Amino acid sequence: MSMSKGSNTPVPTTALRVELGWRTGPGVPDADASALLLAGGKVRSDSDFVFCNQPVHSSGAVRHEGKRNAGGQVTDTVLVDLARVEPGIETVLLAASCDSGTFDRIPGLYIEVKDAAQGAVAARFDSTGATSESAFVLGEFYRRQGAWKFRAVGQGYSSGLEGLATDYGITVDEPQRAAPASPASPAVAPPPPAPEPPVTAPPPRPAGPPPSAAPPAASPVRLTKVTLTKAAPSVSLTKQGGTSGALRVNLNWQVRKQFSGWAGKLGRPVATHSDLDLDLCALFELSDGSKGVVQALGNAYGALQRPPFIHLDGDDRTGAVDSGENLTVSLDHKQYFRRILVFVTIYEGARSFADLHATVTLQPQHGAAVDFSLDECTVPSTVCALALITNTGGDLVVQREARYLVPERGVSPQRTVDRVYGWGMNWTPGRK
């Protein structure tokens, strides 16, 4: 159903897939979808804001699923389960924002609401007439007499996502900027950092907080996100605020069900979600020179509180955001890291990464998320080096690799990565 601005239509109280889409191309900036859950026209807390850095609402009713690019048509998806929306929430606002440009440069902007299970389109609104806006409220779900409706909104914000968010009660964490040095004063060197405390076991946690203890204040949300590209392939986690806590590395993917690329040219069917098994892995080298691998093969899942301070969460076959394949790195022990290479292998279900669209996201517990997409695979590759994390003077630097490798006959994907990056390990056959 195609809608005009301001119109509304009933929608089923069920799980709905909301796609914000546009056409990309040279000079077209990127955009991101987000959702705000409102009570009385405002969020109840910053946790009611769902976007790339905070992808799941605590109720499970709203989930940011991520972005796909299929032949120049980009979709950023939010899953909304209206049956799970809490009674106090009256409106679920659906927005798009652009950090690197304005929406007059983004062609074909639309929002489409589909039944998540059946795929039937319940509503669609094509937004036109954008000028200098860098954020847009495209639509909203709202309650009326116990039923849910969808309204086409089309309201732009020249103040961007920050202006939109603060209008609805979000507390935004502004990046700290260094004060400019006085030209008349010589530069003063900062004091040396305090020495790292020795690693000790955490004290036992009390059974519960004192009765008078106030709940901790929620941290303001960070709207920033760093996207690595070929032109800008690296970023410092320290400069982004990622200095402690857990660093979550997520790989999610989507299989294009068509014949194209290397597999299609050879007439081979590409994989589907049901039979494709990708394994996220990590080679590590610690400061004492010890080396190893974290992977599902051989049940080498690692550990967070002891070396290698890296843990593989599980073995997933869906590729979905917030499941997919996940590694966790303990930044509380970053002084023990020399380098970490995150890579992915095809365990079964395909002969190549052709027709696979994958996104890598590194989400520190504190600080901005770092993400990048993999390029199209045009070689018969079964292993791809994703990201190299190196400790440079106490600062962890993330380098986008996105490098497809082709193993020689009889050589495993793991040994292939080892040879290319000079890890120098001995390998034996393994299984899971």
Side-chain angles (χ1 to χ4, degrees), residues 379-424:
V379 295
S381 170
T382 55
V383 57
C384 180
L386 301 176
L388 181 63
I389 304 173
T390 54
N391 191 335
T392 305
D395 178 19
L396 292 185
V397 175
V398 178
Q399 172 81 25
R400 176 188 187 268
E401 295 294 307
R403 186 176 179 184
Y404 293 107
L405 305 175
V406 181
E408 298 176 1
R409 182 180 296 273
V411 178
S412 70
Q414 289 85 349
R415 190 186 296 270
T416 300
V417 173
D418 183 321
R419 289 180 178 177
V420 171
Y421 285 87
W423 235 263

Side-chain angles (χ1 to χ4, degrees), residues 208-219:
S212 58
S219 300

Side-chain angles (χ1 to χ4, degrees), residues 156-308:
Y157 283 76
S158 58
S159 53
L161 182 59
E162 181 175 347
L164 185 157
T166 53
D167 269 5
Y168 290 99
I170 301 290
T171 304
V172 177
D173 185 11
E174 296 184 358
Q176 295 182 350
R177 294 178 174 84
S182 171
S185 304
V188 178
E196 292 277 357
V199 180
T200 59
R205 185 173 296 178
S212 58
S219 300
V221 297
R222 289 180 177 267
L223 300 182
T224 54
K225 180 184 70 171
V226 178
T227 298
L228 301 182
T229 63
K230 289 181 178 179
S234 65
V235 65
S236 161
L237 287 180
T238 301
K239 292 179 181 179
Q240 298 301 320
T243 57
S244 62
L247 171 67
R248 180 171 175 265
V249 183
N250 172 264
L251 173 71
N252 67 83
W253 62 88
Q254 181 185 45
V255 177
R256 303 187 185 109
K257 298 179 181 179
Q258 59 187 18
F259 289 88
S260 64
W262 177 78
K265 289 176 182 177
L266 295 181
R268 296 170 181 162
V270 299
T272 64
H273 281 293
S274 60
D275 59 17
L276 180 62
D277 185 8
L278 300 185
D279 283 346
L280 188 64
C281 314
L283 286 172
F284 62 83
E285 182 179 3
L286 302 183
S287 57
D288 63 1
S290 58
K291 301 175 183 179
V293 64
V294 174
Q295 60 179 5
L297 199 67
N299 296 320
Y301 286 95
L304 283 181
Q305 299 305 319
R306 62 180 187 275

